Amino acid sequence: KVICNGCNHANQIREAKASLQKQCPFCRESLPTTKEESDKQMMKRIEANDPVAMTQWGGEQHRKGNYSSAFEYSTRAAELGDAVAHHQISILYHHGHGVEKDKVKEIYHMEEAAIGGHPNARHNDQ
């Protein structure tokens, strides 16, 4: 499920004009106020096979240095066609984070990311 930037922007204007509490554009629940609430909401989206949530979680795991978890979540998202996930996997293969360095797999995922429209992948800019 994807919400375009224009629809998201229009909703933000509606919330601001009506002095409404900000809500998740997907589930219309109040936005989380703690890290625990945010993680719980993210896991709910992951369980619903949301590739964007999987990619975001994979990216967060990568930043924490948990490369095997980053690879797992990014792979699941890539299998669902997420271009950002393919780009993240390419970087993991490039650096050998959580996986053995593999130029062939790195290039494959970089190409998939480029085909999917990822701007850095299109310019091969890691």
Side-chain angles (χ1 to χ4, degrees), residues 84-96:
V84 175
H86 278 291
H87 187 258
Q88 288 178 352
I89 294 168
S90 176
I91 292 169
L92 291 171
Y93 278 117
H94 177 77
H95 295 288

Side-chain angles (χ1 to χ4, degrees), residues 12 38 42:
Q12 289 174 353
S38 179
M42 183 73 74

Side-chain angles (χ1 to χ4, degrees), residues 57-110:
W57 191 257
E60 186 174 327
Q61 297 309 305
H62 185 255
R63 285 185 293 282
K64 291 179 179 178
N66 187 351
Y67 301 123
S68 60
S69 183
F71 182 76
E72 175 190 346
Y73 284 100
S74 296
T75 298
R76 287 176 56 194
E79 289 169 353
L80 293 170
D82 191 273
V84 175
H86 278 291
H87 187 258
Q88 288 178 352
I89 294 168
S90 176
I91 292 169
L92 291 171
Y93 278 117
H94 177 77
H95 295 288
H97 290 162
V99 293
E100 287 190 35
K101 285 187 176 188
D102 188 323
K103 194 69 172 172
V104 171
K105 290 180 181 178
E106 173 193 344
I107 291 170
Y108 168 78
H109 286 286
M110 186 64 73

Side-chain angles (χ1 to χ4, degrees), residues 2-98:
V2 177
I3 297 175
C4 76
N5 290 337
C7 292
N8 190 37
H9 182 69
N11 186 55
Q12 289 174 353
I13 290 172
R14 181 186 65 82
E15 289 174 345
K17 283 184 178 179
S19 299
L20 299 173
Q21 183 177 5
K22 292 185 178 189
Q23 297 178 327
C24 172
F26 293 101
C27 66
R28 299 288 185 208
E29 291 182 15
S30 297
L31 293 178
T33 56
T34 66
K35 176 73 170 131
E36 292 78 23
E37 288 176 2
S38 179
D39 289 350
K40 183 179 176 183
Q41 191 174 40
M42 183 73 74
M43 284 299 148
K44 184 177 175 183
R45 289 176 55 203
I46 289 170
E47 288 169 8
N49 284 328
D50 179 348
V52 174
M54 291 175 198
T55 300
Q56 290 173 345
W57 191 257
E60 186 174 327
Q61 297 309 305
H62 185 255
R63 285 185 293 282
K64 291 179 179 178
N66 187 351
Y67 301 123
S68 60
S69 183
F71 182 76
E72 175 190 346
Y73 284 100
S74 296
T75 298
R76 287 176 56 194
E79 289 169 353
L80 293 170
D82 191 273
V84 175
H86 278 291
H87 187 258
Q88 288 178 352
I89 294 168
S90 176
I91 292 169
L92 291 171
Y93 278 117
H94 177 77
H95 295 288
H97 290 162

